[in-house]
Amino acid sequence: METHRTGAALAALLLTAVSGCAGGVQNEQDTVTLTFADLTSQDNTLGQAAQAMFEAIDEEYAGTIEVEYFWSGSMAGGTEILNSLSSGMVDSASIPTAYYPKDLPVASWAEGLTGLAPTANILPPFVANPAMHAAFDSEAVTTEYAEHSAVPVTVATTDSYALVCKDPIDSLEEARGKLVRVASTQHGAEVEELGMSPVSLAHGETYEALQRGTIDCTITSISGAEDLGLYEIAKHLIPIGFSPTVLPVLFNTDTLESLPEDLQEIIRTTGRQAYFDTYAHASFDEVHELLEDGPLARDADTEILIPTDMRDALAEFRTQRAKDLAEAAPEGVDDAEALVTGFAETAGADAPLFEEASGISADLPEDAEEFRARYATMAERTGELDGYLEEVAP
């Protein structure tokens, strides 16, 4: 499948979208052509999950699904991609809720539910994700997206975010005053709790900002840092359990409703399952590879630090924010307590199942050696993980 489009081909696609083709979908002899946009690359864990989703849909659907992918923000930047979807310029997209706190207050609030799940780095994609699917299926969330002509069909909950820094930080005292790039209000609050100063920067500007010294650190997923090449210039990884980010895959409403009903159902079932399974595995596999043979390997020059006082202060802050979540619900969330309770119960039930399947604890690791050991243990039990994923499928 083609992975990008430039020049005249892109112009032709945009002309088709503007000229009245409903939702940009073309149906010719049972062929359905869709466009998909993502801020990350096709090799990123999110990109792998999206491709697996559409391949599974195509395999089950009697016709042919052709997908035109726009990677790395080539269709629209981080603050523009929601409008591109709403207007029908693109049929489907992975769109971070963190970029739209004003436009998507309910979805942004729902992202805070991740604070109710275990915080150990690899757990959220496996444990919080099934519970987050239920939250994004709720009326409060779907109604808000409908106002933007969008429908959530699946969702990715990232691994717990980490600090990636140019200089080592071994304590709260050393963290004080450091400038940290953040992409959400939630991460901004967590950074401030640790005495650091949040800085707002576009995703694609992070590398240059670290290189020039405009910022000292960035909050990112462990694999996301590799995607941007950050380990080339920032040699200190501090995985102390910052909140995961939620990235729903959305369809333009007109696009989805214009598709045959059986195809819509396949998207919501087979497509959702393929995305969930692939993203969960890819999230683990990529970090494990970074730890074994990449820039985080033992013989590499990137250092893994877990300052105990920073880890504990962050965990206490996240726990308190989670307790206050129902009271902080924005207008439009009539069932806040039910959503909070439902998420906590689902994640709480899945956590011990995952611990049994993976052999790793839901608690944050004590040091770098324990951090590494968990990924090594999990790598030996991929068969058990497949059974777990099937059991907790959203």
Side-chain angles (χ1 to χ4, degrees):
M1 283 187 286
E2 185 178 342
T3 58
H4 67 280
R5 179 189 288 257
T6 58
L10 175 58
L13 174 66
L14 298 182
L15 180 61
T16 301
V18 173
S19 64
C21 179
V25 179
Q26 301 172 348
N27 292 294
E28 297 178 4
Q29 298 179 347
D30 295 326
T31 297
V32 177
T33 302
L34 299 167
T35 53
F36 175 82
D38 201 328
L39 300 177
T40 67
S41 73
Q42 67 191 74
D43 297 322
N44 184 272
T45 51
L46 294 165
Q48 294 177 48
Q51 292 171 87
M53 177 183 74
F54 284 113
E55 287 168 4
I57 293 168
D58 180 41
E59 184 175 345
E60 183 167 337
Y61 185 56
T64 301
I65 308 296
E66 295 182 356
V67 184
E68 304 291 345
Y69 295 102
F70 295 90
W71 303 112
S72 303
S74 58
M75 170 62 77
T79 58
E80 301 164 350
I81 192 167
L82 179 61
N83 183 61
S84 294
L85 181 78
S86 300
S87 66
M89 287 281 286
V90 66
D91 300 317
S92 181
S94 174
I95 302 180
T97 57
Y99 285 8
Y100 298 95
K102 293 182 179 179
D103 294 312
L104 301 170
V106 175
S108 297
W109 171 83
E111 183 174 46
L113 291 167
T114 56
L116 299 163
T119 54
N121 296 83
I122 195 59
L123 264 72
F126 290 89
V127 175
N129 216 20
M132 190 58 70
H133 273 87
F136 270 71
D137 285 339
S138 69
E139 183 178 357
V141 174
T142 57
T143 297
E144 179 175 80
Y145 275 113
E147 295 172 357
H148 297 275
S149 301
V151 181
V153 296
T154 190
V155 64
T157 304
T158 68
D159 52 351
S160 291
Y161 271 33
L163 279 173
V164 175
C165 301
K166 292 191 71 174
D167 297 316
I169 297 177
D170 262 329
S171 66
L172 281 169
E173 180 62 30
E174 290 184 7
R176 188 168 292 116
K178 296 291 187 183
L179 300 176
V180 182
R181 183 261 176 185
V182 301
S184 71
T185 54
Q186 187 155 295
H187 286 153
E190 292 171 355
V191 161
E192 289 179 333
E193 179 67 17
L194 300 179
M196 309 170 94
S197 299
V199 177
S200 179
L201 279 176
H203 178 71
E205 297 175 5
T206 308
Y207 185 99
E208 185 176 354
L210 280 167
Q211 189 175 46
R212 291 186 174 186
T214 307
I215 57 174
D216 301 299
C217 308
T218 183
I219 289 185
T220 180
S221 67
I222 296 171
S223 59
E226 170 68 1
D227 199 40
L228 286 176
L230 301 186
Y231 296 122
E232 298 171 4
I233 54 174
K235 302 292 187 179
H236 304 281
L237 174 70
I238 306 175
I240 55 174
F242 288 92
S243 294
T245 292
V246 177
L247 301 111
V249 173
L250 309 171
F251 264 73
N252 173 276
T253 304
D254 288 342
T255 294
L256 190 62
E257 292 179 352
S258 72
L259 298 175
E261 290 187 4
D262 58 339
L263 178 54
Q264 292 184 45
E265 182 65 17
I266 291 170
I267 290 171
R268 295 178 184 275
T269 54
T270 301
R272 169 178 286 198
Q273 183 66 38
Y275 192 94
F276 171 58
D277 288 350
T278 303
Y279 181 74
H281 270 299
S283 296
F284 163 72
D285 290 342
E286 186 158 354
V287 177
H288 183 242
E289 184 176 343
L290 292 174
L291 289 167
E292 290 293 312
D293 303 309
L296 300 178
R298 292 180 185 277
D299 58 354
D301 57 357
T302 300
E303 184 180 20
I304 299 174
L305 300 168
I306 302 181
T308 303
D309 57 352
M310 292 178 67
R311 180 201 64 190
D312 294 346
L314 181 57
E316 183 178 350
F317 179 70
R318 286 188 60 190
T319 298
Q320 186 56 51
R321 279 175 67 94
K323 289 179 179 178
D324 299 335
L325 196 60
E327 295 180 4
E331 185 178 350
V333 184
D334 299 326
D335 54 353
E337 195 63 52
L339 280 172
V340 170
T341 301
F343 184 96
E345 289 178 349
T346 300
D350 289 348
L353 297 177
F354 176 75
E355 187 170 347
E356 181 180 354
S358 66
I360 67 171
S361 170
D363 298 326
L364 284 165
E366 291 290 330
D367 52 36
E369 284 306 307
E370 185 180 344
F371 177 82
R372 291 181 180 278
R374 290 183 176 192
Y375 284 86
T377 298
M378 199 166 156
E380 298 172 355
R381 305 179 70 163
T382 54
E384 290 90 336
L385 287 174
D386 286 335
Y388 166 83
L389 291 172
E390 184 176 349
E391 184 173 355
V392 303

